[in-house]
Amino acid sequence: MILINTYNNLKIKIEEALINKIGEIAIQHFPNEIGGFLIGKYSNNHSLVEIEDIILPNKYKNSPTMFQRSANDLSEEFKKEFNKNQRFYIGEWHSHPNASTMYSSMDLKAMIETVNSPTVMITNPILLIISTNNSKINNYTFYCLSENKLHKYE
């Protein structure tokens, strides 16, 4: 499936199977939030980002209304993805159990902090928020950070 962000025309390509995989992980952790990193590739002209897989954090804190991950111990995993598959960090995902897929002020702050990190080399990371209950995906929404704002994909 291909989604378009009307704000900056950046397109996302993602397979439904990957969304289902993310949903299964979210359902397994229900009623707590869970999340991880989106990895993939940009087209040569940076008009399309292909989300190809995820990396789960080894260390995190979560509750029904909060997810905090650490990436400190994942540098080798990201290097392996780049060296083996030419894929790199393109954004993040997390769940909102039985809740809206609207981002929170904390979500926006976390994405801005990510862009300002010296180890992140992209300026427009993708955020996926997926809503689940204890047995299925309710909804999901993609956002792109641009000019310190999250812009929704249609």
Side-chain angles (χ1 to χ4, degrees):
M1 118 177 60
I2 294 182
L3 303 167
I4 299 172
N5 189 305
T6 55
Y7 178 79
N8 62 8
N9 292 322
L10 179 63
K11 297 176 186 142
I12 291 176
K13 181 178 180 184
I14 186 168
E15 298 293 328
E16 196 73 35
L18 183 54
I19 292 173
N20 291 335
K21 176 181 174 181
I22 292 168
E24 288 172 17
I25 294 166
I27 290 165
Q28 289 169 4
H29 288 84
F30 186 89
N32 292 329
E33 289 191 10
I34 191 67
F37 305 95
L38 302 169
I39 58 170
K41 301 174 185 174
Y42 280 89
S43 62
N44 289 339
N45 64 2
H46 287 109
S47 65
L48 173 72
V49 60
E50 294 183 56
I51 302 171
E52 297 179 336
D53 207 351
I54 60 171
I55 294 176
L56 296 174
N58 295 319
K59 298 177 185 172
Y60 60 88
K61 295 178 186 177
N62 64 344
S63 75
T65 58
M66 179 270 302
F67 173 73
Q68 289 180 313
R69 52 78 178 156
S70 172
N72 294 340
D73 62 340
L74 294 175
S75 61
E76 288 304 313
E77 189 145 0
F78 282 109
K79 285 178 188 174
K80 184 175 102 177
E81 277 297 329
F82 182 77
N83 292 333
K84 181 179 176 187
N85 302 309
Q86 298 300 301
R87 300 191 297 203
F88 53 93
Y89 170 92
I90 54 160
E92 316 238 348
W93 71 270
H94 70 272
S95 63
H96 282 178
N98 276 338
S100 159
T101 59
M102 182 63 191
Y103 65 89
S104 68
S105 60
M106 291 293 292
D107 294 335
L108 175 59
K109 182 181 176 199
M111 294 303 286
I112 292 169
E113 288 174 359
T114 296
V115 164
N116 292 328
S117 169
T119 60
V120 174
M121 302 301 194
I122 61 174
T123 57
N124 301 110
I126 304 298
L127 173 64
L128 165 62
I129 299 177
I130 189 164
S131 170
T132 66
N133 60 30
N134 63 348
S135 64
K136 68 178 179 68
I137 296 171
N138 297 327
N139 196 8
Y140 58 88
T141 304
F142 286 92
Y143 299 91
C144 178
L145 184 72
S146 185
E147 299 178 1
N148 289 336
K149 294 180 183 168
L150 285 167
H151 301 277
K152 186 177 177 179
Y153 277 81
E154 304 296 332

